[in-house]
Amino acid sequence: VEEVYTVQKGDTLWSISEEFLHKNTGGRRYILEFMSGIRELNPWLTETHDQLQPGDELRINYWRKQ
């Protein structure tokens, strides 16, 4: 599944990763691996050193068991 998440005030890459990691029911993933996947889908995060602003949009993917 791929979703677009709009960053809210107070969000961090860690907190967003935690939230979406719970949706990942298709296999075990660790939070650092999940964060790495978010960075891979959103290369602009490297340029901003993972600094998020409210309104930023993140592409996030995860596996859901059918």
Side-chain angles (χ1 to χ4, degrees):
V1 175
E2 184 170 310
E3 287 188 33
V4 175
Y5 176 78
T6 303
V7 174
Q8 305 299 309
K9 184 177 179 180
D11 280 345
T12 63
L13 189 55
W14 184 275
S15 67
I16 295 166
S17 297
E18 280 184 317
E19 179 180 335
F20 279 87
L21 191 59
H22 294 291
K23 293 183 175 188
N24 187 73
T25 60
R28 178 169 274 243
R29 287 177 77 186
Y30 296 98
I31 193 158
L32 294 176
E33 177 188 10
F34 203 83
M35 288 172 65
S36 178
I38 293 174
R39 286 187 192 104
E40 191 175 312
L41 285 172
N42 302 278
W44 59 268
L45 285 170
T46 303
E47 298 167 12
T48 64
H49 305 285
D50 295 345
Q51 295 298 310
L52 301 172
Q53 299 295 322
D56 286 347
E57 291 187 343
L58 294 173
R59 290 175 47 215
I60 301 173
N61 69 359
Y62 55 91
W63 296 96
R64 190 177 315 161
K65 189 183 267 186
Q66 293 274 349

